[in-house]
């Protein structure tokens, strides 16, 4: 099992990318707060994992013409079409549809091959958050005061894409693995025909089978497998989208470029991510990189790093200069354990995608 793993740093020099909203606990109720969480004795701003995933999905639509799965609402649930054959985002981002339709349990769920952390500020709130005091005055009468927090920090996020799960759909009767409906899900009458009221579900299964035949999907026991070219395209485009990442709230006022300014990418043969934890950390208000810790971690995980795999380090020269990092020194420290490819973020992402393509053959 092969996983494409990575860590990204997003520079947010003056931003409010994913806000908590109005703080109702305050008397004047006019303060827009930053999302934070506590770790130890400090609080850290963060961008929620679902916000990052929304940006990622939207970027795939805008730059790679992905037809995104439509949203439906049933009772109190909102869910996608749950059709991973037709919609690549259902394949890569997973889904859960759990309800009955026409008396038939049409529950299908898919564990997302793409997993990601929240984007977490490296600097704690005391070193990153400020508050802007403003007045709304474009109306008659007295100006109305309001306040909103924003931050200046660098966000760190990590992800893992399960390459074996992309384009592979399981039929196991188990949460997360019942990806598709089958004919066994349709109740029958005494003559063996689908019962009345199941027409919508029957049509859904017929449509899925039609698409499967059209695309050349291989049907095995308890799983369907899409052709390698489609799986390769979906996996590599998911990774390539990182270099064009677009999104974030309050862009009209704070205008932040959320494309990663530093990335580390590596294929591993296990469901772990060697970049999670404190390789990048805050020390006395500065953002540091622990090359020694990275080298030791890669050495510790050498059994799960494929023989031909490289560590890819992509960086924006201005960004690493502003942090005082020496990227050559980082690469030099780990070179004894693994081959390293360095370059601009876009160049590195493209090279890493080639390694993923080779995995699919």
């Amino acid at each position: 099992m092969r996983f494409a793993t990575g860590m990204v740093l997003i520079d947010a020099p003056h931003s409010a990318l994913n806000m908590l909203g109005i703080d109702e606990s305050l008397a004047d109720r006019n303060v827009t707060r930053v999302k934070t969480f506590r770790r130890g004795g400090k609080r850290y701003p963060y961008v929620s994992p679902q916000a990052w995933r929304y940006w990622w999905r939207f970027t795939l639509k805008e730059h790679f013409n992905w037809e995104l799965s439509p949203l439906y609402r049933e009772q109190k649930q909102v869910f996608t079409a749950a059709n991973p054959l037709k919609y690549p985002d259902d394949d890569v981002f997973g889904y859960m549809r759990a309800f009955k339709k026409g008396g038939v349990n049409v529950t299908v769920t898919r564990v997302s091959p793409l997993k990601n952390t929240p984007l977490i500020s490296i600097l704690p709130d005391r070193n990153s958050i400020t508050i802007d005091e403003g007045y709304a005055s474009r109306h008659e009468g007295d100006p109305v005061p309001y306040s909103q927090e924003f931050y200046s920090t660098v966000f760190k996020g990590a992800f893992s894409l399960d390459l074996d799960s992309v384009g592979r759909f399981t039929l196991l009767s188990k949460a997360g693995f019942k990806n598709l409906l089958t004919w066994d899900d349709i109740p029958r009458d005494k003559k063996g025909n689908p019962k009345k009221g199941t027409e919508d579900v029957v049509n859904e299964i017929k449509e899925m089978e039609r698409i499967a035949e059209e695309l050349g999907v291989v049907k095995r026991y308890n799983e369907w497998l899409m052709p390698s070219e489609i799986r390769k395209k979906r996996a590599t485009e998911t990774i390539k989208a990182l270099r064009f990442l677009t999104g974030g709230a309050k862009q009209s006022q704070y205008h932040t470029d959320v494309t990663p300014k530093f990335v580390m990418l590596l294929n591993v043969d296990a469901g772990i991510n060697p970049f999670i934890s404190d390789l990048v950390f805050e020390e006395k208000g500065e953002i540091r990189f622990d090359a020694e810790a990275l080298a030791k971690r890669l050495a510790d995980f050498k059994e799960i790093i494929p023989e031909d795999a490289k560590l890819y380090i992509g960086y924006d020269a201005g960004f690493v200069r502003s942090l005082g990092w020496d990227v050559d020194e980082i690469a030099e420290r780990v070179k004894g354990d693994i081959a390293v490819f360095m370059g601009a973020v876009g160049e590195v992402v493209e090279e890493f995608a080639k390694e993923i393509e080779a995995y699919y053959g």
Side-chain angles (χ1 to χ4, degrees):
M1 55 197 312
R2 180 68 55 88
F3 292 78
T5 64
M7 185 200 78
V8 303
L9 298 181
I10 292 175
D11 189 22
H14 37 65
S15 313
L17 296 168
N18 180 223
M19 302 293 279
L20 180 65
I22 297 293
D23 189 344
E24 299 287 346
S25 66
L26 299 178
D28 51 10
R29 295 184 180 181
N30 66 354
V31 181
T32 305
R33 306 298 292 269
V34 165
K35 287 182 177 178
T36 61
F37 74 100
R38 184 179 294 281
R39 183 182 185 188
K42 298 177 181 177
R43 298 197 71 85
Y44 294 85
Y46 72 93
V47 172
S48 69
Q50 60 268 27
W52 186 12
R53 292 170 76 82
Y54 176 79
W55 301 352
W56 209 326
R57 202 185 290 244
F58 180 78
T59 302
L60 285 162
K61 172 179 176 290
E62 291 297 303
H63 290 274
F64 295 93
N65 297 317
W66 278 28
E67 182 182 1
L68 299 186
S69 184
L71 291 175
Y72 300 95
R73 180 166 185 168
E74 189 77 23
Q75 300 168 4
K76 295 182 179 179
Q77 299 180 41
V78 175
F79 45 84
T80 67
N83 185 340
L85 300 180
K86 181 176 181 179
Y87 302 108
D89 59 323
D90 272 347
D91 180 1
V92 172
F93 291 84
Y95 48 79
M96 182 177 74
R97 184 186 71 181
F99 69 100
K100 288 188 176 181
K101 189 174 185 179
V104 182
N105 185 354
V106 293
T107 297
V108 285
T109 57
R110 174 167 172 76
V111 175
S112 172
L114 177 65
K115 300 170 178 61
N116 61 277
T117 66
L119 295 170
I120 300 169
S121 170
I122 297 170
L123 300 175
D125 61 346
R126 68 168 183 267
N127 289 339
S128 58
I129 293 181
T130 189
I131 189 164
D132 178 54
E133 304 284 355
Y135 291 90
S137 57
R138 294 178 60 188
H139 61 280
E140 292 187 4
D142 297 332
V144 177
Y146 67 92
S147 304
Q148 59 182 13
E149 294 179 338
F150 69 101
Y151 39 70
S152 176
T153 190
V154 172
F155 285 104
K156 178 178 68 177
F159 67 88
S160 175
L161 177 63
D162 183 346
L163 301 183
D164 289 296
S165 290
V166 174
R168 170 176 277 129
F169 313 116
T170 54
L171 308 175
L172 299 171
S173 183
K174 179 180 175 183
F177 296 89
K178 174 70 173 172
N179 298 162
L180 305 170
L181 292 178
T182 67
W183 290 112
D184 292 338
D185 298 308
I186 304 295
R188 306 278 177 169
D189 60 19
K190 292 181 180 178
K191 296 181 178 178
N193 297 317
K195 285 187 174 180
K196 287 185 178 180
T198 63
E199 291 81 3
D200 288 346
V201 185
V202 167
N203 289 336
E204 180 179 328
I205 294 173
K206 286 181 177 177
E207 174 66 4
M208 201 76 75
E209 291 195 330
R210 184 193 66 77
I211 297 172
E213 185 174 351
E214 187 176 292
L215 296 177
V217 172
V218 175
K219 297 179 182 177
R220 300 172 176 169
Y221 176 69
N222 270 344
E223 76 169 17
W224 290 13
L225 187 66
M226 299 191 84
S228 292
E229 286 304 312
I230 296 177
R231 301 174 69 201
K232 179 191 304 183
K233 183 174 186 295
R234 291 181 176 182
T236 55
E237 288 182 348
T238 299
I239 299 301
K240 289 179 180 179
L242 281 171
R243 59 180 300 204
F244 303 115
L245 201 62
T246 303
K250 295 190 176 296
Q251 288 283 12
S252 60
Q253 293 171 294
Y254 295 100
H255 190 36
T256 301
D257 173 16
V258 299
T259 57
K261 297 299 184 294
F262 184 88
V263 299
M264 288 197 298
L265 305 165
L266 176 68
N267 281 316
V268 295
D269 287 333
I272 63 170
N273 188 319
F275 304 124
I276 291 180
S277 191
D278 294 333
L279 297 175
V280 183
F281 61 99
E282 181 258 351
E283 184 179 68
K284 297 179 180 177
E286 302 292 330
I287 297 174
R288 308 291 190 191
F289 189 101
D290 193 338
E292 184 70 20
L294 174 62
K296 288 182 177 178
R297 195 166 297 169
L298 293 177
D300 194 35
F301 287 142
K302 62 182 179 182
E303 293 90 348
I304 61 167
I305 298 175
E307 285 187 4
D308 55 347
K310 296 177 184 174
L311 171 66
Y312 295 83
I313 301 176
Y315 62 96
D316 176 90
F319 175 70
V320 296
R321 184 176 63 244
S322 70
L323 298 179
W325 291 2
D326 186 337
V327 183
D328 291 329
E329 189 175 303
I330 296 172
E332 195 61 35
R333 181 61 192 85
V334 299
K335 269 181 179 174
D337 302 305
I338 187 172
V340 178
F341 183 94
M342 287 202 310
V345 172
E347 178 186 9
V348 161
V349 168
E350 292 294 328
E351 284 298 315
F352 184 59
K354 290 177 184 176
E355 195 172 301
I356 294 172
E357 286 179 345
Y359 178 67
Y360 287 107

